[in-house]
Amino acid sequence: MKSYRVRERLHEELLPHLMLARGVGESEHDAFLTPDFERDSHDPFLLPDMGKAVERIIAAKNSGEKIAVWSDYDCDGIPGGVLLIDFFRSIGVTAAHYIPDRHAEGYGLNNDGLAELAAQGVTLVITVDLGTTDVEPITFANSKGIDVIVTDHHLVLPAEGASRSPSGEDASAGLLLPPAYAVINPKRPDSHYPFDGLCGAGVAWKLAQAIQQKGKFLNDGQEKWLVDLAALGTLSDMVPLVGENRMLARFGLLVMRSPQISRRRPGLAALFTLLRIKPELLTEDDIGFMVAPRINAASRMGTPRTAARLLGAQDKDTALELARELQALNDERKGLVASTVKEVNKRLAMGSVESPVIVMGSTHWRPGILGLVANSVAEAHGKPVFLWGREGGELVRGSVRGAAGINVVELMATAKDIFEDYGGHTASGGFSVSETRVHELPARLSAAYEAVASRELIKEEVLVDRELALGEVPRAHRELKKLAPFGVGNSKPLFMFPRVAVSGARMFGKQQNHLEVMLGRGNERVAGISFFFNPESFTKKTLEGETADIVGHVETDWRGQPRVRIVDIL
């Protein structure tokens, strides 16, 4: 059961209070509220290997070498890959865009794809959002006469037997770096770059920025129009929205809100139209909950090239066709998730053994959608959920979602010898296991749960930023726009609205699975909304006209007006 505690008041005014609660000192308020492109954009040449990478790319441009950009297939890698392709086109370089098939090739570089590029005469491959750990494929690329420049943001692995925290001038000595021509990664321990939180598209943006600084191929500032794609990856990939990321997200949203969006990025404009998003009102929530899932649906349900073609589309007719295709893939993805959830629940109902952990799988299930399925099942049953499927090969891959009080990574670590690999966060993660041992998972994870649960459970206490009266919502709505965009490191403020009357409850949506109510106190009225919830989903089941405390966020509705996104009713 969740409990809520209202944070002590740090400042009488709302905005200073929220910034202080987020660790932003009073002397830093102005800089935080008004990101500056030049001030907040660090020198790209401080990134490791950036100088030699830029020299190699300019040399390839001058000699007419064939270049390929190899990007990941998610809503970080795809925008980052399109960003580089667009930038290269603008400076007179034609580069191929290779995106591996999620199901047939999996994540990262692979020998077959590299051999295909070598046969086409490619001599330089630039990665986006991958490559840091691809030692063997990059060794293979070198044998085929291909230089590889890695741009990535994932953790660098220590070499066998080396310290996990090397430091100093020889910090790279204990690292397992691939034999690439250059490895541009802000998370390299030997990096002198002052910010290590960039996403994959953000690192790709820094490469384009460095090439422009060195070669002066474009008019001053022209490359800044590409920041929309850097922002798309930044807002989709759960990186901290502070420092340079905050600047990229803020300015990227401004580019996407521009009236020029239909001319500059007709694919995004077509998608906004289908989703009934007004570009001028675009928010980070629209990116995270509407746009990113459709970009990701391309690799989960079809080919990631559909999403890349949409982002790089040059004409409105092609853009509209691709937007409709992504919408159809996302609808198919929703249907597949719903049918898999139904199958899981049916199998649970037929089971005779009660277990503290739900473990289930099928070689017919697509691992790419199992995180969404596991999340739904975990919410419905209040237990950790491990679901696995198969994408080819001898390993089965799965996703895990947690329940209150249990750290799922600790759970997997307690049974680590059964996994080929695993990882994640407190409440979510992923794993792979040999198909010959997958039958052992239920018993092993049940035993692991008992071991973890016997220790002190995590008490799920939610910290509420501040109490807010309904009459303060319009003003708070205006002020919160200055604090946006919200995300990791700058969480959306959570408020307590005390003693509010709830009325006019109705369910809406195609499946009637979203809740809308009217919140009132005195003469004040504010709409409240909660997606994938019904009146019985909250701590307190609220009857018509009954008074309750509301926990929720202040946000913008589709008309640009303030509303409350309800998190709980107490």
Side-chain angles (χ1 to χ4, degrees), residues 222-286:
Q222 188 178 340
E223 76 282 1
K224 293 178 183 178
W225 286 103
L226 295 171
V227 79
D228 58 347
L229 296 174
L232 192 54
T234 300
L235 292 168
S236 302
D237 207 49
M238 300 298 289
V239 291
L241 287 186
V242 296
E244 191 165 15
N245 280 345
R246 178 170 169 80
M247 179 275 293
L248 289 173
R250 175 73 72 87
F251 282 96
L253 283 169
L254 287 176
V255 170
M256 286 185 272
R257 291 172 186 149
S258 165
Q260 298 184 46
I261 184 69
S262 60
R263 178 182 61 81
R264 289 200 59 265
R265 200 71 66 188
L268 274 181
L271 197 54
F272 292 163
T273 299
L274 283 183
L275 299 176
R276 298 179 181 178
I277 296 172
K278 296 178 180 178
E280 66 273 17
L281 299 177
L282 182 73
T283 69
E284 65 274 20
D285 282 346
D286 295 324

Side-chain angles (χ1 to χ4, degrees), residues 174-491:
L175 302 178
L176 184 62
L177 291 175
Y181 187 89
V183 180
I184 304 170
N185 187 330
K187 286 193 174 69
R188 281 179 56 167
D190 59 333
S191 172
H192 297 290
Y193 199 71
F195 182 67
D196 70 354
L198 293 169
C199 69
V203 180
W205 156 250
K206 300 306 294 187
L207 176 60
Q209 190 181 42
I211 295 169
Q212 168 61 12
Q213 285 186 16
K214 181 71 174 179
K216 304 293 183 184
F217 299 110
L218 304 174
N219 295 329
D220 286 347
Q222 188 178 340
E223 76 282 1
K224 293 178 183 178
W225 286 103
L226 295 171
V227 79
D228 58 347
L229 296 174
L232 192 54
T234 300
L235 292 168
S236 302
D237 207 49
M238 300 298 289
V239 291
L241 287 186
V242 296
E244 191 165 15
N245 280 345
R246 178 170 169 80
M247 179 275 293
L248 289 173
R250 175 73 72 87
F251 282 96
L253 283 169
L254 287 176
V255 170
M256 286 185 272
R257 291 172 186 149
S258 165
Q260 298 184 46
I261 184 69
S262 60
R263 178 182 61 81
R264 289 200 59 265
R265 200 71 66 188
L268 274 181
L271 197 54
F272 292 163
T273 299
L274 283 183
L275 299 176
R276 298 179 181 178
I277 296 172
K278 296 178 180 178
E280 66 273 17
L281 299 177
L282 182 73
T283 69
E284 65 274 20
D285 282 346
D286 295 324
I287 298 298
F289 296 115
M290 303 285 278
V291 176
R294 284 154 178 84
I295 300 296
N296 287 327
S299 65
R300 287 184 170 129
M301 306 305 300
T303 168
R305 293 208 56 79
T306 304
R309 289 176 61 210
L310 174 99
L311 295 179
Q314 300 291 303
D315 66 272
K316 293 182 179 180
D317 290 341
T318 301
L320 184 57
E321 178 185 341
L322 291 167
R324 286 172 174 161
E325 188 174 341
L326 277 189
Q327 183 75 323
L329 287 172
N330 193 61
D331 288 343
E332 183 183 350
R333 188 267 306 169
K334 287 181 180 178
L336 186 58
V337 169
S339 65
T340 308
V341 169
K342 186 176 180 180
E343 184 178 348
V344 170
N345 287 329
K346 183 178 179 180
R347 288 166 63 176
L348 285 172
M350 294 171 60
S352 58
V353 178
E354 185 70 20
S355 171
V357 183
I358 294 172
V359 185
M360 201 175 295
S362 168
T363 54
H364 301 295
W365 288 353
R366 292 192 183 186
I369 56 101
L370 291 182
L372 302 171
V373 176
N375 190 65
S376 177
V377 176
E379 286 184 351
H381 295 274
K383 297 178 179 182
V385 176
F386 287 74
L387 301 179
W388 55 265
R390 189 171 175 179
E391 284 180 334
E394 296 181 357
L395 296 179
V396 297
R397 303 186 184 279
S399 290
V400 53
R401 294 295 184 269
I406 294 293
N407 183 323
V408 298
V409 174
E410 186 179 356
L411 199 59
M412 289 187 282
T414 305
K416 64 183 179 181
D417 62 289
I418 197 172
F419 296 107
E420 295 292 327
D421 59 67
Y422 66 90
H425 311 283
T426 300
S428 66
F431 62 91
S432 65
V433 62
S434 167
E435 190 171 351
T436 61
R437 299 196 66 186
V438 73
H439 67 280
E440 300 177 40
L441 277 177
R444 292 295 307 277
L445 288 170
S446 181
Y449 180 93
E450 298 297 340
V452 171
S454 66
R455 301 190 286 270
E456 185 178 356
L457 291 178
I458 302 168
K459 183 180 180 182
E460 192 172 8
E461 181 181 72
V462 179
L463 188 61
V464 177
D465 280 291
R466 190 159 173 157
E467 279 196 1
L468 204 65
L470 278 189
E472 296 179 278
V473 167
R475 181 181 176 186
H477 180 241
R478 291 191 297 271
E479 292 194 1
L480 290 177
K481 290 180 180 178
K482 302 174 186 176
L483 199 58
F486 299 110
V488 178
N490 181 32
S491 58

